[in-house]
Amino acid sequence: MNTIDESGPGRWSRRGFLGLGAAVGGGMLLSACGGGSASGAGQLKFWDMPWGQANYTAAAKKLTEAYTPANSLPAATYQGIQWANFSQTFSSAIASKTGPAVSTGGGFQAFQFADQGAIAYADNVIEQFRKDGTLDDFLPGQLDAMKTSKGYAAVPWQLDFRVWWYRKSLLDAAGLKVPTTWDELLTACRTLAGRKVFGFGTGAGAGNNLGSQGLHLMMLNNGGGLFDPDGKVDVVTEANLEAMRFVQELVRAKAVDPASISYTTDNLITQWKNKKVAMGIHTAGLDTDTGETDGDLQVMSPLTGPSGAKAGLVFQNNIMMYADTPSQEGSEAFLSYYIRSMKTLWQQNVVAGLPVLKSIVALPEFQAQKQKAKIIAEWVPVAKTFAAQSPTLFGGLAAVDSSQPVTQFAQTVLAGQDPKPALETLQKALEAIVK
């Protein structure tokens, strides 16, 4: 379930969340949490989000309850936390010391809580992985983004990608080959426009972040991004300007539906289903979202930009540990167990995200999903995080992804307006957000 709706995992799997510094009022009843402190119950509380269809939670709960701790370490309990209002759920629980010892959550959540001193760093887990060989099982580069100046804020467990898709039947009908460069993309879009088909399917309406994320991917594809190597906002660059001017050319070529600036995720999926869109940037689960199994929707290979660069946009969903725990050694042991045992979730095909471990990628159950397997094979090697060009993630990212300035920027560019003042406006807005 890779949607981008406000209440679904696609919106929140990538994001951290806002307002962690302000605890919710002490009288608030957390129906999702239960009572008792993380350090008082004698068991590790593992909080998890619904990362797939309804059967995901049951499978993750079974995996958690199968944990058999050694050396008198505490056992683990499982608690499902819904995406709706999850930011208040976590922030209030952490402030009142009734939160989890270990959890999944928003993609930037660990970094926000780390800034507040609420995270237990995962260096011991990483070192154990180094000793037992698990570290070598991680896909290249996936741990790097978790490392901060104080240590590893979390451990990645699944990946959420933005990639180019195409509908084979529409390209075939137009006599087109699958584009491999930006120039070929523009040429194909012009041909498709003559057939009243859109070549850059996107949306920037309420709850739909694919428009802004698609533009971000185009920046990365040209060697740009939103941040410099030091994590400072760096939007107005020649690379970004060139990328957005190319998007402006796509708009002029009628590759973008003029109504897309108001499209929700459901609107966009409907356009794909109705074969109004031949190409576009989407999550790894587009074919699942449309309910198609005939192979007509396929993932492109990464495009080569004007500078010769290739890039994908990846959000690394992770598991984090908290300073408030009945046993730090117990938290580390459970996290280690979960990472090494989570392959069952992919064997049962209950998790929407892409695996971060090579051994899971190699499973026949995953390889049978040909488009997702292609993303791992071709997009992972060129993937960049939301923080690029910074080598690591940081807490301020949560206030940027899906923010109003980013959405307004996407709507402006996708409407075909001059991208330079739009980039300048975005620069100022993000500088005010990321202190």
Side-chain angles (χ1 to χ4, degrees):
M1 184 167 60
N2 278 333
T3 60
I4 316 296
D5 188 80
E6 287 193 17
S7 61
R11 177 176 174 85
W12 294 110
S13 62
R14 305 165 314 283
R15 293 189 65 176
F17 42 85
L18 307 179
L20 288 178
V24 179
M28 178 181 177
L29 175 64
L30 298 178
S31 60
C33 306
S37 70
S39 59
Q43 290 183 313
L44 297 170
K45 291 197 289 188
F46 176 53
W47 285 10
D48 192 24
M49 315 307 296
W51 294 103
Q53 303 297 342
N55 53 358
Y56 165 80
T57 297
K61 184 174 187 289
K62 183 178 180 180
L63 176 60
T64 301
E65 293 175 346
Y67 171 59
T68 304
N71 303 324
S72 300
L73 293 175
T77 62
Y78 183 89
Q79 179 66 55
I81 304 296
Q82 296 305 308
W83 291 107
N85 300 318
F86 86 105
S87 59
Q88 290 92 336
T89 300
F90 272 96
S91 59
S92 179
I94 297 302
S96 61
K97 296 189 180 299
T98 59
V102 183
S103 82
T104 62
F108 309 130
Q109 175 174 327
F111 301 89
Q112 288 182 287
F113 275 133
D115 289 344
Q116 299 175 31
I119 286 294
Y121 290 91
D123 293 51
N124 289 341
V125 175
I126 300 302
E127 183 57 30
Q128 182 59 45
F129 285 169
R130 194 185 315 276
K131 292 178 180 177
D132 64 25
T134 304
L135 196 66
D136 294 332
D137 197 20
F138 281 85
L139 292 169
Q142 298 313 310
L143 279 167
D144 297 344
M146 301 292 111
K147 189 172 185 179
T148 71
S149 60
K150 294 182 179 179
Y152 288 91
V155 178
W157 75 285
Q158 50 133 313
L159 306 173
D160 182 17
F161 270 87
R162 299 297 170 268
V163 299
W164 276 95
W165 285 81
Y166 66 96
R167 187 174 286 283
K168 186 177 185 300
S169 60
L170 291 180
L171 293 192
D172 288 347
L176 294 169
K177 294 182 178 179
V178 181
T180 61
T181 67
W182 285 18
D183 287 343
E184 292 176 5
L185 178 70
L186 179 58
T187 299
C189 284
R190 286 171 173 156
T191 299
L192 290 165
R195 302 174 66 88
K196 300 188 183 304
V197 175
F198 298 109
F200 188 13
T202 188
N208 188 355
N209 308 319
L210 285 167
S212 61
Q213 291 165 356
L215 297 184
H216 194 175
L217 173 55
M218 297 302 287
M219 293 179 189
L220 298 175
N221 198 175
N222 199 39
L226 299 180
F227 303 93
D228 68 13
D230 296 322
K232 296 181 180 179
V233 177
D234 191 24
V235 173
V236 187
T237 66
E238 284 302 315
N240 288 345
L241 183 57
E242 183 179 28
M244 294 304 94
R245 282 179 173 158
F246 176 78
V247 174
Q248 189 179 35
E249 281 296 306
L250 293 178
V251 174
R252 290 172 179 165
K254 300 182 179 180
V256 178
D257 185 345
S260 64
I261 59 173
S262 62
Y263 275 174
T264 64
T265 306
D266 287 344
N267 295 149
L268 181 56
I269 292 297
T270 298
Q271 290 292 82
W272 278 102
K273 286 182 177 180
N274 292 341
K275 300 188 177 182
K276 299 293 185 180
V277 174
M279 301 182 293
I281 296 170
H282 209 90
T283 70
L286 175 60
D287 51 353
T288 302
D289 290 344
T290 59
E292 299 182 38
T293 59
D294 60 2
D296 194 27
L297 286 174
Q298 298 188 20
V299 172
M300 285 187 196
S301 296
L303 292 173
T304 301
S307 66
K310 296 181 179 181
L313 176 58
V314 63
F315 298 92
Q316 294 150 321
N317 298 319
N318 51 72
I319 303 178
M320 63 210 80
M321 299 181 294
Y322 298 84
D324 184 26
T325 174
S327 166
Q328 180 57 35
E329 184 182 359
S331 292
E332 292 167 354
F334 173 74
L335 174 53
S336 177
Y337 156 81
Y338 202 88
I339 293 292
R340 284 187 254 172
S341 306
M342 64 185 180
K343 67 178 181 180
T344 60
L345 302 177
W346 278 271
Q347 288 173 318
Q348 298 171 71
N349 195 24
V350 297
V351 61
L354 276 60
V356 74
L357 297 183
K358 300 171 189 174
S359 58
I360 299 178
V361 171
L363 291 171
E365 293 88 351
F366 182 76
Q367 287 297 315
Q369 302 177 68
K370 293 183 179 179
Q371 302 312 311
K372 288 185 176 179
K374 182 175 182 178
I375 293 172
I376 292 292
E378 298 189 21
W379 287 83
V380 166
V382 299
K384 295 182 181 296
T385 72
F386 192 79
Q389 301 298 321
S390 172
T392 187
L393 302 176
F394 48 92
L397 294 172
V400 175
D401 184 27
S402 309
S403 65
Q404 191 62 29
V406 169
T407 299
Q408 290 174 342
F409 169 75
Q411 292 171 340
T412 299
V413 174
L414 293 174
Q417 298 182 37
D418 186 351
K420 187 171 183 180
L423 286 167
E424 292 170 343
T425 298
L426 182 61
Q427 173 81 25
K428 293 178 182 177
L430 296 189
E431 284 178 341
I433 292 174
V434 182
K435 302 297 185 180

